[in-house]
Amino acid sequence: MARTVLVTGGNRGIGLAIARAFEKQGDRVAVTHRGSGAPEGLFGVQCDITDPAQVDAAFTEIEKELGPVEVLVANAGVTDDTLLLRMSEEQFERVIDTNLKGSFRVAKRASSKMLRAKWGRIIFISSVVGLYGGPGQVNYAASKAGLVGMARSITRELGSRNITANVVAPGFIETEMTAVLSEARQAEIIKAVPAGRLANPDEVAAAVTFLAGDGAAYINGAVLPVDGGLGMGH
Ligand code: NDP
């Protein structure tokens, strides 16, 4: 059955791979962008998730064109790395405001319609760093760990209404976010990953479409790592 799907930050990177995977299965797919426009074939809405009014307007536009959002993928995210002693209040807040509060804003807006439909899937894109930690990533790790508590609380609130809230925790994926890492840092990461390589964004998308599918109806409040074994046991 075709569903209406929203992928925040679905205009590029991992989000675009996720959007394309849903498109391939025949779903109606909307993506947010902040001015780049939507990639070919996808329904684009301009939306900065740090602004609640823009989030509300984006959902209203999608509801008008594609119907209520049934599958929400909260993927948009940023990094702003530096060591704890150098990290400013602004750097901490900006990352939390996008990654954690932005996910809260879209989940809250989506959930009212999901409750009415008595069906919904919310998938938060976290990171291995959320539970494993990362030097220079106090803000980012805190924002990504927060998504686990958020998903589990939503599960406890809405689980009885056929709504699931799960977390996908990617390891190191080949995108613009990791392209900025030095070659030495990339080599170090590859050495630490049991799989011995970075992942392709499609490998994250496969986990997301699985969690959104009917076969995953009894998986709720779970953290699914897609990290080549990097974070085992966390
Ligand atoms: P990219 O940097 O390639 O893309 C980030 C996306 O987020 C863009 O679409 C960007 O939109 C969007 N975005 C950022 N800020 C906002 C905002 N305020 N409002 C709306 N959209 C925003 O990142 P990736 O594709 O690599 O990462 C996607 C997700 O996966 C992120 O949450 C990231 O933390 C997570 N992740 C990535 C890993 C990796 O190795 N790459 C590993 C683990 C997790 P715009 O084009 O307008 O800038």
Side-chain angles (χ1 to χ4, degrees):
M1 187 170 130
R3 302 279 187 192
T4 297
V5 180
L6 169 61
V7 184
T8 65
N11 57 321
R12 62 189 172 94
I14 294 173
L16 178 58
I18 295 168
R20 289 285 182 224
F22 280 109
E23 185 194 27
K24 212 165 152 189
Q25 350 183 105
D27 291 312
R28 299 174 291 276
V29 186
V31 297
T32 67
H33 63 86
R34 290 183 299 172
S36 67
E40 178 82 41
L42 300 172
F43 181 72
V45 282
Q46 189 157 343
C47 174
D48 185 324
I49 60 163
T50 63
D51 179 350
Q54 287 190 38
V55 168
D56 185 48
F59 271 82
T60 304
E61 204 180 326
I62 295 164
E63 284 157 5
K64 220 183 280 165
E65 285 299 317
L66 308 179
V69 173
E70 297 168 286
V71 177
L72 170 68
V73 185
N75 161 81
V78 291
T79 52
D80 194 350
D81 296 358
T82 193
L83 295 173
L84 173 63
L85 282 175
R86 295 204 192 115
M87 191 173 287
S88 66
E89 288 271 335
E90 290 70 32
Q91 273 176 305
F92 189 83
E93 258 159 31
R94 190 176 81 86
V95 171
I96 296 287
D97 195 25
T98 305
N99 299 3
L100 186 59
K101 284 173 82 179
S103 298
F104 155 73
R105 292 181 189 105
V106 292
K108 180 178 172 178
R109 180 60 178 78
S111 67
S112 63
K113 293 286 185 323
M114 290 178 178
L115 271 168
R116 204 167 300 164
K118 295 197 174 58
W119 197 93
R121 294 278 192 274
I122 301 173
I123 296 142
F124 295 105
I125 307 301
S126 175
S127 164
V128 64
V129 168
L131 297 175
Y132 196 72
Q137 297 199 296
V138 160
N139 50 1
Y140 183 74
S143 72
K144 293 300 190 181
L147 294 174
V148 176
M150 196 182 293
R152 291 182 170 166
S153 300
I154 293 171
T155 295
R156 293 198 188 278
E157 285 189 27
L158 309 180
S160 65
R161 317 291 271 276
N162 287 323
I163 296 170
T164 68
N166 290 294
V167 171
V168 169
F172 290 90
I173 317 296
E174 282 169 357
T175 66
E176 287 169 43
M177 199 177 257
T178 46
V180 298
L181 300 172
S182 68
E183 263 181 42
R185 179 74 185 120
Q186 291 209 22
E188 231 175 69
I189 290 165
I190 289 169
K191 220 168 131 192
V193 178
R197 62 174 178 88
L198 301 189
N200 181 296
D202 293 337
E203 297 180 289
V204 179
V208 175
T209 51
F210 164 68
L211 288 172
D214 289 333
Y218 205 59
I219 300 176
N220 212 345
V223 179
L224 178 53
V226 184
D227 64 3
L230 177 62
M232 276 188 298
H234 72 27

